[in-house]
Amino acid sequence: MHLSFDRKALESFCRSRGIRRLSLFGSAVRDDFRPGESDFDVLAEFEPGALRGVGLNFFSYGPDLEKILGGKVDFCSKLNKYIKPLVEKECLPLYEQV
């Protein structure tokens, strides 16, 4: 997988929203990714309390991230318990808080 993006912009995005880890999964980390057609499946792990008071602004996170990654983003912060183990096996961290 070759993904080119502004790492400083991604770091700023994550820090300002209390994201401690942002990972890519799905077709973007596999051979079936089709540039220009496939979306980026992104899993965000937040700092405790980071979403308190966010409200509807949460729904802007995906479109904001699309500007940084340069493609359609499917942004999620919680996984179904049945797919969680599968997703966690293939997650590729894009950002981790240090």
Side-chain angles (χ1 to χ4, degrees), residues 35-57:
E37 294 178 34
S38 298
D39 63 1
F40 296 106
D41 297 307
V42 178
L43 175 62
E45 298 172 37
F46 289 88
E47 287 291 324
L51 293 176
R52 193 172 301 124
V54 169
L56 294 177
N57 287 331

mmCIF file of all heavy atoms in Angstrom, residues 35-57:
data_model
loop_
_atom_site.group_PDB
_atom_site.id
_atom_site.type_symbol
_atom_site.label_atom_id
_atom_site.label_comp_id
_atom_site.label_asym_id
_atom_site.label_seq_id
_atom_site.Cartn_x
_atom_site.Cartn_y
_atom_site.Cartn_z
ATOM 1 N N PRO A 35 -7.455 2.550 -6.088
ATOM 2 C CA PRO A 35 -7.345 4.009 -5.970
ATOM 3 C C PRO A 35 -8.419 4.712 -6.798
ATOM 4 O O PRO A 35 -8.693 4.337 -7.925
ATOM 5 C CB PRO A 35 -5.953 4.309 -6.509
ATOM 6 C CG PRO A 35 -5.196 3.032 -6.330
ATOM 7 C CD PRO A 35 -6.212 1.934 -6.532
ATOM 8 N N GLY A 36 -9.037 5.708 -6.181
ATOM 9 C CA GLY A 36 -10.085 6.461 -6.854
ATOM 10 C C GLY A 36 -11.462 5.836 -6.738
ATOM 11 O O GLY A 36 -12.460 6.487 -7.033
ATOM 12 N N GLU A 37 -11.531 4.563 -6.348
ATOM 13 C CA GLU A 37 -12.818 3.876 -6.202
ATOM 14 C C GLU A 37 -13.065 3.435 -4.754
ATOM 15 O O GLU A 37 -14.156 3.598 -4.239
ATOM 16 C CB GLU A 37 -12.866 2.646 -7.116
ATOM 17 C CG GLU A 37 -12.844 2.976 -8.586
ATOM 18 C CD GLU A 37 -12.843 1.715 -9.440
ATOM 19 O OE1 GLU A 37 -13.461 0.718 -9.039
ATOM 20 O OE2 GLU A 37 -12.208 1.737 -10.512
ATOM 21 N N SER A 38 -12.052 2.839 -4.142
ATOM 22 C CA SER A 38 -12.199 2.341 -2.770
ATOM 23 C C SER A 38 -12.129 3.491 -1.774
ATOM 24 O O SER A 38 -11.462 4.497 -2.022
ATOM 25 C CB SER A 38 -11.083 1.346 -2.446
ATOM 26 O OG SER A 38 -11.138 0.225 -3.282
ATOM 27 N N ASP A 39 -12.798 3.311 -0.653
ATOM 28 C CA ASP A 39 -12.683 4.316 0.397
ATOM 29 C C ASP A 39 -11.635 3.871 1.413
ATOM 30 O O ASP A 39 -11.127 2.758 1.354
ATOM 31 C CB ASP A 39 -14.031 4.571 1.087
ATOM 32 C CG ASP A 39 -14.586 3.350 1.802
ATOM 33 O OD1 ASP A 39 -13.936 2.285 1.798
ATOM 34 O OD2 ASP A 39 -15.666 3.459 2.376
ATOM 35 N N PHE A 40 -11.283 4.785 2.297
ATOM 36 C CA PHE A 40 -10.362 4.493 3.375
ATOM 37 C C PHE A 40 -11.185 4.189 4.625
ATOM 38 O O PHE A 40 -11.908 5.062 5.111
ATOM 39 C CB PHE A 40 -9.438 5.690 3.651
ATOM 40 C CG PHE A 40 -8.531 6.033 2.507
ATOM 41 C CD1 PHE A 40 -8.773 7.149 1.723
ATOM 42 C CD2 PHE A 40 -7.434 5.240 2.213
ATOM 43 C CE1 PHE A 40 -7.936 7.478 0.677
ATOM 44 C CE2 PHE A 40 -6.592 5.561 1.160
ATOM 45 C CZ PHE A 40 -6.844 6.680 0.390
ATOM 46 N N ASP A 41 -11.098 2.969 5.112
ATOM 47 C CA ASP A 41 -11.754 2.603 6.365
ATOM 48 C C ASP A 41 -10.806 2.985 7.486
ATOM 49 O O ASP A 41 -9.655 2.521 7.520
ATOM 50 C CB ASP A 41 -12.048 1.103 6.398
ATOM 51 C CG ASP A 41 -13.023 0.697 5.302
ATOM 52 O OD1 ASP A 41 -14.099 1.314 5.233
ATOM 53 O OD2 ASP A 41 -12.706 -0.219 4.531
ATOM 54 N N VAL A 42 -11.282 3.840 8.388
ATOM 55 C CA VAL A 42 -10.437 4.394 9.429
ATOM 56 C C VAL A 42 -11.080 4.162 10.793
ATOM 57 O O VAL A 42 -12.263 4.431 10.987
ATOM 58 C CB VAL A 42 -10.218 5.913 9.193
ATOM 59 C CG1 VAL A 42 -9.389 6.516 10.300
ATOM 60 C CG2 VAL A 42 -9.560 6.156 7.847
ATOM 61 N N LEU A 43 -10.264 3.672 11.716
ATOM 62 C CA LEU A 43 -10.711 3.437 13.086
ATOM 63 C C LEU A 43 -10.001 4.423 14.001
ATOM 64 O O LEU A 43 -8.769 4.479 14.022
ATOM 65 C CB LEU A 43 -10.396 2.001 13.513
ATOM 66 C CG LEU A 43 -10.703 1.632 14.961
ATOM 67 C CD1 LEU A 43 -12.196 1.774 15.258
ATOM 68 C CD2 LEU A 43 -10.209 0.221 15.261
ATOM 69 N N ALA A 44 -10.785 5.193 14.751
ATOM 70 C CA ALA A 44 -10.233 6.168 15.694
ATOM 71 C C ALA A 44 -10.433 5.679 17.118
ATOM 72 O O ALA A 44 -11.517 5.221 17.478
ATOM 73 C CB ALA A 44 -10.917 7.526 15.512
ATOM 74 N N GLU A 45 -9.377 5.761 17.905
ATOM 75 C CA GLU A 45 -9.448 5.468 19.333
ATOM 76 C C GLU A 45 -9.210 6.789 20.058
ATOM 77 O O GLU A 45 -8.167 7.416 19.872
ATOM 78 C CB GLU A 45 -8.400 4.435 19.716
ATOM 79 C CG GLU A 45 -8.603 3.100 19.017
ATOM 80 C CD GLU A 45 -7.450 2.143 19.238
ATOM 81 O OE1 GLU A 45 -6.885 2.134 20.351
ATOM 82 O OE2 GLU A 45 -7.111 1.417 18.291
ATOM 83 N N PHE A 46 -10.174 7.190 20.862
ATOM 84 C CA PHE A 46 -10.145 8.496 21.516
ATOM 85 C C PHE A 46 -9.620 8.424 22.945
ATOM 86 O O PHE A 46 -9.747 7.398 23.617
ATOM 87 C CB PHE A 46 -11.559 9.095 21.541
ATOM 88 C CG PHE A 46 -12.044 9.540 20.203
ATOM 89 C CD1 PHE A 46 -12.703 8.654 19.357
ATOM 90 C CD2 PHE A 46 -11.849 10.836 19.773
ATOM 91 C CE1 PHE A 46 -13.163 9.064 18.113
ATOM 92 C CE2 PHE A 46 -12.297 11.251 18.537
ATOM 93 C CZ PHE A 46 -12.957 10.366 17.702
ATOM 94 N N GLU A 47 -9.062 9.531 23.384
ATOM 95 C CA GLU A 47 -8.704 9.697 24.784
ATOM 96 C C GLU A 47 -9.983 9.654 25.611
ATOM 97 O O GLU A 47 -11.045 10.085 25.125
ATOM 98 C CB GLU A 47 -8.017 11.056 25.012
ATOM 99 C CG GLU A 47 -6.620 11.129 24.476
ATOM 100 C CD GLU A 47 -5.667 10.252 25.256
ATOM 101 O OE1 GLU A 47 -5.811 10.118 26.492
ATOM 102 O OE2 GLU A 47 -4.770 9.687 24.622
ATOM 103 N N PRO A 48 -9.922 9.160 26.841
ATOM 104 C CA PRO A 48 -11.117 9.172 27.685
ATOM 105 C C PRO A 48 -11.690 10.591 27.811
ATOM 106 O O PRO A 48 -10.948 11.547 28.044
ATOM 107 C CB PRO A 48 -10.598 8.677 29.045
ATOM 108 C CG PRO A 48 -9.383 7.873 28.709
ATOM 109 C CD PRO A 48 -8.777 8.551 27.511
ATOM 110 N N GLY A 49 -12.970 10.720 27.583
ATOM 111 C CA GLY A 49 -13.655 12.004 27.697
ATOM 112 C C GLY A 49 -13.537 12.920 26.489
ATOM 113 O O GLY A 49 -14.128 13.992 26.461
ATOM 114 N N ALA A 50 -12.788 12.504 25.475
ATOM 115 C CA ALA A 50 -12.557 13.371 24.309
ATOM 116 C C ALA A 50 -13.833 13.676 23.532
ATOM 117 O O ALA A 50 -13.936 14.721 22.894
ATOM 118 C CB ALA A 50 -11.514 12.757 23.375
ATOM 119 N N LEU A 51 -14.806 12.785 23.582
ATOM 120 C CA LEU A 51 -16.032 12.998 22.815
ATOM 121 C C LEU A 51 -17.120 13.714 23.616
ATOM 122 O O LEU A 51 -18.165 14.050 23.068
ATOM 123 C CB LEU A 51 -16.567 11.667 22.285
ATOM 124 C CG LEU A 51 -15.679 11.007 21.230
ATOM 125 C CD1 LEU A 51 -16.232 9.649 20.846
ATOM 126 C CD2 LEU A 51 -15.542 11.898 20.006
ATOM 127 N N ARG A 52 -16.841 13.974 24.879
ATOM 128 C CA ARG A 52 -17.818 14.673 25.712
ATOM 129 C C ARG A 52 -18.049 16.083 25.147
ATOM 130 O O ARG A 52 -17.125 16.853 24.967
ATOM 131 C CB ARG A 52 -17.301 14.759 27.156
ATOM 132 C CG ARG A 52 -18.354 15.171 28.149
ATOM 133 C CD ARG A 52 -17.875 15.056 29.591
ATOM 134 N NE ARG A 52 -17.463 13.677 29.903
ATOM 135 C CZ ARG A 52 -16.249 13.361 30.373
ATOM 136 N NH1 ARG A 52 -15.344 14.286 30.584
ATOM 137 N NH2 ARG A 52 -15.952 12.098 30.613
ATOM 138 N N GLY A 53 -19.281 16.376 24.832
ATOM 139 C CA GLY A 53 -19.627 17.702 24.321
ATOM 140 C C GLY A 53 -19.404 17.898 22.830
ATOM 141 O O GLY A 53 -19.657 18.976 22.312
ATOM 142 N N VAL A 54 -18.933 16.880 22.131
ATOM 143 C CA VAL A 54 -18.653 17.015 20.697
ATOM 144 C C VAL A 54 -19.946 17.116 19.895
ATOM 145 O O VAL A 54 -20.041 17.890 18.947
ATOM 146 C CB VAL A 54 -17.793 15.831 20.195
ATOM 147 C CG1 VAL A 54 -17.722 15.819 18.681
ATOM 148 C CG2 VAL A 54 -16.413 15.908 20.785
ATOM 149 N N GLY A 55 -20.941 16.325 20.269
ATOM 150 C CA GLY A 55 -22.238 16.367 19.600
ATOM 151 C C GLY A 55 -22.138 16.083 18.118
ATOM 152 O O GLY A 55 -21.405 15.202 17.673
ATOM 153 N N LEU A 56 -22.872 16.867 17.352
ATOM 154 C CA LEU A 56 -22.937 16.650 15.903
ATOM 155 C C LEU A 56 -21.627 16.951 15.183
ATOM 156 O O LEU A 56 -21.450 16.541 14.031
ATOM 157 C CB LEU A 56 -24.069 17.478 15.306
ATOM 158 C CG LEU A 56 -25.476 17.065 15.733
ATOM 159 C CD1 LEU A 56 -26.512 18.012 15.143
ATOM 160 C CD2 LEU A 56 -25.779 15.632 15.331
ATOM 161 N N ASN A 57 -20.708 17.644 15.828
ATOM 162 C CA ASN A 57 -19.411 17.912 15.204
ATOM 163 C C ASN A 57 -18.673 16.623 14.866
ATOM 164 O O ASN A 57 -17.820 16.608 13.985
ATOM 165 C CB ASN A 57 -18.534 18.783 16.109
ATOM 166 C CG ASN A 57 -19.017 20.210 16.156
ATOM 167 O OD1 ASN A 57 -19.604 20.716 15.205
ATOM 168 N ND2 ASN A 57 -18.795 20.865 17.274
#
